[in-house]
């Protein structure tokens, strides 16, 4: 049981700690909205990681092999979603910066906690490499013997907890960033940097081999 707990924690942190497009968007979203919204979005990311960990423990290699033929289309969906988020963030930031008070009346309302949770859950679920990652870990651990249902449950919960703790930490840093950058110029720079990073990651995803 302890081995499953440690394996789940390591797996969760292993997939969550590298800050990519989702992490960048999470920090930017929290900086523009509130800590409550950011935490809900963070839990959306962690939920997706937990679901993929569960799918990997139940399906193993069969599920990973089933996803391989659709990796290409899913990758392009990820690219379009990332470009859409980057463009929306940049346009909204520029509009708010130019319009100041007027923009606060005409700009679309920021997502609430529930919408942020569902949005980040959906975006994270579009990344099929996560289930490949968890499937490889689960299959590797089976070399020491088959794991029972309790061990599998501990692994999934530990992976979820590890991912959630890291994503909430990112959301907290976004809240601090939002308090530090209270001016219009600071928020504009933050949003444009986040959009730029997401655009670069989308391009890298598009040109990646396979």
């Amino acid at each position: 049981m302890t081995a499953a707990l440690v394996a789940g924690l390591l797996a969760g942190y292993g997939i969550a700690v590298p800050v990519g497009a989702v992490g960048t968007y999470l920090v930017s979203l929290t900086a523009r909205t509130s800590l409550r919204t950011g935490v809900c979005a963070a839990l959306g990311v962690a939920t997706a990681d937990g679901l993929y960990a569960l799918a990997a423990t139940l399906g193993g290699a069969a599920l990973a092999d089933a996803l391989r033929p659709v990796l290409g289309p899913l990758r392009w969906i990820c690219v379009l979603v990332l470009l859409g988020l980057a463009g929306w963030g940049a346009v909204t930031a520029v509009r708010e910066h130019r319009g100041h008070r007027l923009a606060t009346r005409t700009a679309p309302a920021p997502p609430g906690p529930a919408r942020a949770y569902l949005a980040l859950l959906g975006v994270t679920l579009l990344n099929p490499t996560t289930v490949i990652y968890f499937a490889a870990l689960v299959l590797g651990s089976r070399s020491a013997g088959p794991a029972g249902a309790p061990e599998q449950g501990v692994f999934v919960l530990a992976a979820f907890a590890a991912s959630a703790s890291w994503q909430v930490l990112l959301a907290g840093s976004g809240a601090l960033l939002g308090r530090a950058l209270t001016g219009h110029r600071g928020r504009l720079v933050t949003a444009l940097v986040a959009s730029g990073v997401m655009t670069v990651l989308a391009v890298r995803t598009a040109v990646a081999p396979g």
Side-chain angles (χ1 to χ4, degrees):
M1 196 73 72
T2 302
L5 175 64
V6 173
L9 290 174
L10 292 176
Y13 283 122
I15 196 65
V17 167
V19 178
V22 173
T24 303
Y25 179 71
L26 175 60
V27 173
S28 175
L29 174 67
T30 312
R32 298 196 315 268
T33 55
S34 66
L35 180 60
R36 180 185 177 190
T37 299
V39 169
C40 288
L43 292 178
V45 178
T47 300
D49 288 341
L51 289 175
Y52 269 147
L54 177 62
T57 57
L58 296 178
L63 184 59
D65 291 339
L67 282 177
R68 291 186 191 279
V70 296
L71 287 181
L74 285 177
R75 185 176 66 179
W76 284 106
I77 292 175
C78 287
V79 170
L80 294 177
V81 170
L82 290 175
L83 290 177
L85 288 173
W88 178 83
V91 169
T92 301
V94 171
R95 184 181 301 169
E96 291 178 351
H97 181 70
R98 288 180 177 177
H100 296 295
R101 294 180 180 178
L102 180 60
T104 60
R105 300 178 183 176
T106 59
R115 206 171 97 196
Y117 173 86
L118 293 175
L120 269 293
L121 171 64
V123 169
T124 310
L125 285 176
L126 287 175
N127 185 9
T129 58
T130 306
V131 74
I132 304 298
Y133 167 84
F134 279 116
L137 290 177
V138 171
L139 292 174
S141 66
R142 286 179 182 173
S143 60
E151 288 79 8
Q152 291 178 350
V154 169
F155 175 85
V156 172
L157 290 177
F160 169 81
S163 177
S165 65
W166 180 258
Q167 305 302 339
V168 169
L169 179 63
L170 288 181
S173 67
L176 293 176
L177 183 64
R179 292 178 182 177
L181 300 177
T182 54
H184 291 287
R185 187 182 300 275
R187 292 187 180 275
L188 173 65
V189 172
T190 301
L192 292 180
V193 168
S195 296
V197 171
M198 283 188 285
T199 301
V200 170
L201 290 171
V203 173
R204 288 182 59 186
T205 302
V207 301

